[in-house]
Amino acid sequence: MNVHDYMQQVGRAARAASRAIARADTNQKNRALLAIADALERDHEKLVTANMQDLAAAEKAGLEAALVDRLAITEATVRSMAEGLRQIAALPDPVGEMDDFTFRPSGIQLGKMRVPLGVVGIIYESRPNVTADAAGLCLKSGNAAILRGGSEAFHSNQAIAACVHEGLAVAGLPAGVVQILETTDRAAVTELVTMPEYVDVIVPRGGKGLIERISLEARVPVIKHLHGNCHVYIDDTANPDKAFNIAINAKTHRYGTCNTMESLLVHEAFAEFILPRLAEAYWEKGVELRGCDRTRAILGDKVVPATAEDWETEYLAPILAVKVVRDLDEAIEHINAHGSHHTDAVVTEDYGRARRFLREVDSASVMVNASTRFADGFEYGLGAEIGISTDKIHARGPVGLEGLTSQKWVVLGDGQIRQ
Amino acid sequence: MNVHDYMQQVGRAARAASRAIARADTNQKNRALLAIADALERDHEKLVTANMQDLAAAEKAGLEAALVDRLAITEATVRSMAEGLRQIAALPDPVGEMDDFTFRPSGIQLGKMRVPLGVVGIIYESRPNVTADAAGLCLKSGNAAILRGGSEAFHSNQAIAACVHEGLAVAGLPAGVVQILETTDRAAVTELVTMPEYVDVIVPRGGKGLIERISLEARVPVIKHLHGNCHVYIDDTANPDKAFNIAINAKTHRYGTCNTMESLLVHEAFAEFILPRLAEAYWEKGVELRGCDRTRAILGDKVVPATAEDWETEYLAPILAVKVVRDLDEAIEHINAHGSHHTDAVVTEDYGRARRFLREVDSASVMVNASTRFADGFEYGLGAEIGISTDKIHARGPVGLEGLTSQKWVVLGDGQIRQ
């Protein structure tokens, strides 16, 4: 079968299955989730074996170490996939939730019902655990899923797929609820993002290049996660300990995550006091600092001069851009102009400035006196996350079950007609 | 200036103004809305005069009567535009609304804040009243608007624009908050829908052709209103009077609106009882019936045989497709397969069937015992509406102030860092 015909068949099966999963009740969906979790744990050896095939091929192909690292499955990875599914099972079911029912002057009673989106297409690279997370989130939110993993994780994903299908069968749900593509042909992605009759939304997870390519091609809505250029702004009213702890944690807790701070802004009246303390700690951890002229005037030549590009960069590495700013206004302006609208934090004890930062910084997550590292689905209580949206339309920030649903209007009448 | 440079300038002005209007407080926005309303009423003669220029040109160009009709401005039209703006001023301000603040196990307190989308581009045909409605809704929801009206309404729209800008000036808001394009060049639309750096969402209002063309071109999200192929399903448990009144109202209250019923489905056990009564009333009002074989067996040859195309058609005319169905399942299946996911209603006294219809019909508005004609922004209490979305992503159904906003995550901390 050619790729077009194969994808049409996958699309039709997904659309049909989406009706079944939309109607499935909470118990049935949870039964499937728990059965998948059990199957994964039982088959952990099979998964590791399949993964070794992928790892061997990756090493042979000379894949870079970071990628190979993300590809690896251990018994611990399998347990955490299973744990993730059990957490999703424990979350309240968003489907069918009704609220806001009020009477209108005409006598109709108007409210809203939360419903699945339909069919969700997910395109991702490397990490096989996305397969289990995405399947679990789509299933619980009543959506059918079409998963397209990276070719480098092909065997791992097929092994996980077997567990997913076993779990669906245990709960009496059709296999079409979660389909994992059996082709690694790039043309399948093009088909997937251009069949609005079968796919309601696309979630790409991967590098900026992948996401831009898919957005350009897509004829269905895309929930985009472009990049995370996150800021912490330390105001001159900051509590010094909070400022120190947050600035260190936001940068050094993990270097490769999208909610890691990439630029630090410091109020000019606070810079001479806090920057030397911070620089010492950063350097001790091997973080390279790239600063504006005023930063270098305080910290000396060990600070690399920052170029215009540094303010735009998501390093995903032990590098930090540092800028001394005049005041809150300059900080907000800098963040809105150079940030990526992902996550930004202020450290301040001033009530009015905290309110202004929250309101005026145009990002998916805005924080007062907390580390940017909190911006993820797990810390926000969404269970897992299907991605972190840097769009404003539909879902913003970490996308969990709710982001995979929509609300329809419900009108309850007693025979009302329009006058 | 060429179109590209002109649109870049418009885009930059809109982006800058979007920051000002996002920060504006409720009083300032309401002051602008009321001042625009006053200016429109005061200038009603100027508006009618400008409109006469457009009408004369339209007649000379041989525009069809329905279009000329939608183009006309009378003193009454002006009063209703002003009234619409006063209603928007009276609605609660959605911007900055915060809710759902709960503590997470880490100690952070997490909630959501409603915020404007930024810059909204609206592309529409004929009706000059859209200019006032759209300006009002964008202004109140804290967005900057770029309005592109039809070339046939150019003078009318410019006259309305003068009132809008006067109102903005009275409230101390920049003119860039509402820009009405001063060119009728088609290339301006292409520019508008392909500048994501300046435009956050596009709302096209017009025929299916316009919307499909724009969706295909757009590189920014589009809130689409494709078409309204609405159904009423009369179950055999229906109350006969409710069924009769709703079926007549949904079809004959207005023929040209998107929430008008286009197909009537009747349970086979109820058809012989209700269809003759209904047919008599429809025919008296000059409504042509196109029916399935079973409908024709009951009502005779005066019913035109329905073709496959009839089930898909939005007539926007005194024509109704009629089908006798076996049961609720066939009705739901028919609606999901042939409808346009806009608005569909069931008439029934059966609790379980009402619940199933609400849940399983995949439309923006689902109704029990009420006329489909209720599906609009005014009846739903949204004030005006910027459109009715047939998409599932972001806003669904009538889109008012809330649909022009998004929610960001707010984290309130006391120095928390991620462990």
Side-chain angles (χ1 to χ4, degrees):
Chain A
M1 202 184 315
N2 68 34
V3 173
H4 175 76
D5 292 345
Y6 171 65
M7 290 305 295
Q8 288 286 310
Q9 178 192 303
V10 167
R12 270 192 305 271
R15 181 59 79 208
S18 75
R19 304 234 157 83
I21 187 70
R23 269 198 309 266
D25 69 23
T26 310
N27 282 333
Q28 196 180 8
K29 293 188 286 189
N30 288 346
R31 208 152 60 232
L33 289 165
L34 298 177
I36 299 169
D38 292 346
L40 286 169
E41 285 192 331
R42 184 201 60 211
D43 283 357
H44 69 265
E45 281 174 19
K46 274 194 209 163
L47 293 186
V48 171
T49 309
N51 185 244
M52 277 158 73
Q53 274 188 272
D54 289 331
L55 287 174
E59 267 160 53
K60 215 164 134 188
L63 233 64
E64 51 176 304
L67 246 69
V68 173
D69 203 46
R70 275 152 59 183
L71 181 54
I73 293 183
T74 62
E75 197 183 328
T77 329
V78 178
R79 297 225 178 277
S80 98
M81 280 189 238
E83 191 41 47
L85 291 166
R86 291 189 183 112
Q87 279 176 16
I88 294 171
L91 289 172
D93 188 343
V95 176
E97 206 181 278
M98 298 207 286
D99 51 27
D100 291 345
F101 277 84
T102 52
F103 280 99
R104 300 289 315 145
S106 60
I108 62 169
Q109 192 170 11
L110 176 71
K112 286 178 170 182
M113 185 195 290
R114 196 164 281 287
V115 290
L117 293 176
V119 177
V120 181
I122 298 160
I123 300 159
Y124 53 105
E125 294 167 337
S126 309
R127 304 191 196 193
N129 67 305
V130 173
T131 309
D133 281 3
L137 285 170
C138 288
L139 202 165
K140 180 80 181 228
S141 57
N143 292 288
I146 302 175
L147 307 181
R148 153 71 187 218
S151 53
E152 69 287 353
F154 185 74
H155 296 98
S156 314
N157 287 337
Q158 294 300 322
I160 297 170
C163 298
V164 171
H165 287 139
E166 181 183 329
L168 289 171
V170 165
L173 289 165
V177 168
V178 181
Q179 295 179 85
I180 296 166
L181 295 190
E182 283 166 17
T183 168
T184 58
D185 193 330
R186 175 72 183 71
V189 173
T190 305
E191 294 286 335
L192 182 62
V193 304
T194 54
M195 44 187 209
E197 64 281 28
Y198 298 130
V199 177
D200 295 291
V201 66
I202 292 287
V203 184
R205 294 189 60 163
K208 211 178 162 180
L210 171 82
I211 291 161
E212 285 180 336
R213 219 161 51 237
I214 284 169
S215 307
L216 219 60
E217 261 187 306
R219 301 255 49 92
V220 266
V222 177
I223 296 180
K224 282 195 282 291
H225 171 178
L226 276 171
H227 62 309
N229 179 12
C230 303
H231 297 73
V232 172
Y233 164 59
I234 302 179
D235 191 49
D236 63 332
T237 62
N239 170 302
D241 290 335
K242 292 181 192 171
F244 180 84
N245 293 335
I246 289 169
I248 296 298
N249 184 261
K251 182 70 225 177
T252 68
H253 183 254
R254 287 272 175 85
Y255 295 115
T257 48
C258 62
N259 54 20
T260 295
M261 167 177 66
E262 304 291 11
S263 284
L264 174 69
L265 309 177
V266 184
H267 191 287
E268 59 180 14
F270 209 60
E272 284 189 52
F273 166 71
I274 195 89
L275 276 181
R277 261 181 82 188
L278 278 171
E280 197 185 333
Y282 284 131
W283 283 328
E284 200 171 294
K285 288 176 182 276
V287 176
E288 174 186 324
L289 300 182
R290 301 188 184 175
C292 67
D293 291 345
R294 301 180 69 182
T295 301
R296 298 184 73 230
I298 296 166
L299 297 178
D301 285 352
K302 195 170 167 187
V303 176
V304 180
T307 65
E309 212 191 327
D310 281 303
W311 312 124
E312 317 288 339
T313 305
E314 182 183 24
Y315 299 114
L316 297 172
I319 306 172
L320 177 68
V322 185
K323 189 181 169 79
V324 174
V325 295
R326 221 170 31 250
D327 54 14
L328 177 69
D329 288 283
E330 191 184 340
I332 292 174
E333 215 167 283
H334 179 96
I335 294 170
N336 286 337
H338 303 286
S340 65
H341 313 289
H342 188 296
T343 300
D344 300 288
V346 64
V347 188
T348 183
E349 296 299 318
D350 184 279
Y351 173 79
R353 293 188 194 171
R355 292 253 296 171
R356 277 197 57 207
F357 188 92
L358 291 177
R359 179 138 185 202
E360 295 178 29
V361 169
D362 184 22
S363 298
S365 291
V366 287
M367 303 184 168
V368 178
N369 295 347
S371 168
T372 54
R373 284 282 296 133
F374 283 110
D376 73 29
F378 180 77
E379 290 292 338
Y380 282 7
L382 310 179
E385 69 196 13
I386 199 108
I388 297 186
S389 165
T390 51
D391 277 335
K392 287 188 187 177
I393 298 294
H394 191 64
R396 223 178 157 184
V399 180
L401 295 178
E402 195 175 296
L404 292 171
T405 61
S406 166
Q407 285 186 306
K408 65 183 177 190
W409 298 89
V410 172
V411 171
L412 304 177
D414 308 289
Q416 278 79 10
I417 59 172
R418 181 109 176 240
Q419 301 301 326
Chain B
M1 201 185 312
N2 68 34
V3 173
H4 174 76
D5 292 346
Y6 171 64
M7 290 305 295
Q8 288 286 310
Q9 178 191 302
V10 167
R12 271 192 304 273
R15 180 60 77 208
S18 75
R19 305 233 157 83
I21 188 70
R23 269 198 309 267
D25 69 22
T26 310
N27 282 332
Q28 196 180 7
K29 294 188 286 189
N30 288 345
R31 211 153 59 234
L33 289 166
L34 298 176
I36 299 168
D38 292 345
L40 286 170
E41 286 193 329
R42 184 200 62 211
D43 283 357
H44 69 265
E45 281 174 19
K46 275 194 210 163
L47 293 187
V48 171
T49 309
N51 184 244
M52 277 158 75
Q53 274 187 273
D54 289 331
L55 287 175
E59 268 160 53
K60 214 163 135 188
L63 231 66
E64 52 176 303
L67 245 71
V68 174
D69 202 48
R70 276 153 57 183
L71 181 54
I73 293 183
T74 63
E75 199 185 325
T77 328
V78 177
R79 295 224 179 278
S80 98
M81 281 189 237
E83 191 42 46
L85 290 166
R86 292 190 182 110
Q87 278 178 16
I88 295 170
L91 290 172
D93 189 342
V95 176
E97 206 181 278
M98 298 205 286
D99 51 27
D100 291 344
F101 276 84
T102 51
F103 281 98
R104 299 289 314 147
S106 60
I108 61 170
Q109 193 172 11
L110 175 73
K112 287 178 169 183
M113 186 195 290
R114 196 164 281 287
V115 291
L117 293 175
V119 177
V120 182
I122 298 159
I123 300 160
Y124 52 105
E125 294 168 336
S126 310
R127 304 192 195 192
N129 67 304
V130 173
T131 309
D133 282 3
L137 284 169
C138 288
L139 202 165
K140 181 78 181 233
S141 56
N143 292 289
I146 302 176
L147 307 181
R148 152 73 185 216
S151 53
E152 68 288 352
F154 186 75
H155 297 98
S156 315
N157 287 337
Q158 292 301 322
I160 296 170
C163 298
V164 170
H165 288 139
E166 183 183 326
L168 290 170
V170 166
L173 289 166
V177 168
V178 181
Q179 295 180 85
I180 296 166
L181 295 190
E182 284 166 16
T183 170
T184 58
D185 194 329
R186 175 70 183 74
V189 173
T190 305
E191 294 286 335
L192 182 61
V193 304
T194 54
M195 43 188 210
E197 63 282 28
Y198 298 131
V199 177
D200 296 291
V201 65
I202 292 288
V203 184
R205 294 190 58 162
K208 211 177 162 182
L210 171 83
I211 291 161
E212 285 179 337
R213 220 161 50 237
I214 284 168
S215 307
L216 219 60
E217 261 187 305
R219 302 255 49 91
V220 267
V222 178
I223 296 180
K224 280 195 284 292
H225 171 177
L226 275 173
H227 63 310
N229 180 13
C230 303
H231 297 73
V232 172
Y233 164 59
I234 302 179
D235 191 48
D236 64 331
T237 62
N239 170 301
D241 289 336
K242 293 181 190 170
F244 181 83
N245 293 335
I246 289 169
I248 296 298
N249 185 261
K251 182 69 225 178
T252 69
H253 184 252
R254 287 271 176 83
Y255 295 115
T257 49
C258 62
N259 54 21
T260 296
M261 166 178 65
E262 305 291 11
S263 284
L264 174 68
L265 308 177
V266 185
H267 190 288
E268 59 181 14
F270 209 60
E272 283 190 52
F273 166 70
I274 195 89
L275 276 181
R277 261 181 83 187
L278 279 171
E280 196 184 336
Y282 284 130
W283 282 328
E284 200 172 294
K285 288 173 183 277
V287 176
E288 176 187 323
L289 300 183
R290 300 189 185 175
C292 66
D293 291 345
R294 300 181 70 183
T295 302
R296 298 183 75 230
I298 296 167
L299 296 177
D301 285 353
K302 195 170 167 186
V303 175
V304 180
T307 64
E309 211 191 326
D310 282 302
W311 312 124
E312 316 289 338
T313 305
E314 182 183 24
Y315 299 114
L316 297 172
I319 305 173
L320 177 67
V322 185
K323 189 181 168 78
V324 174
V325 296
R326 217 170 33 249
D327 54 14
L328 177 70
D329 288 282
E330 191 185 342
I332 293 174
E333 215 167 282
H334 179 97
I335 294 170
N336 285 337
H338 302 287
S340 65
H341 312 289
H342 188 295
T343 301
D344 299 287
V346 64
V347 189
T348 183
E349 296 298 318
D350 184 279
Y351 174 80
R353 293 188 193 172
R355 293 253 297 172
R356 278 197 57 207
F357 188 92
L358 291 178
R359 179 137 187 204
E360 295 179 28
V361 169
D362 183 22
S363 297
S365 292
V366 286
M367 304 184 168
V368 179
N369 296 346
S371 169
T372 54
R373 284 282 296 131
F374 283 110
D376 74 29
F378 180 77
E379 290 292 337
Y380 282 7
L382 311 179
E385 70 195 14
I386 200 109
I388 297 186
S389 166
T390 50
D391 277 336
K392 284 188 191 177
I393 298 295
H394 192 63
R396 220 178 161 184
V399 180
L401 295 177
E402 196 176 294
L404 292 171
T405 61
S406 165
Q407 285 186 307
K408 65 183 177 192
W409 298 89
V410 172
V411 171
L412 304 177
D414 307 289
Q416 277 80 7
I417 58 172
R418 182 108 177 238
Q419 301 303 324

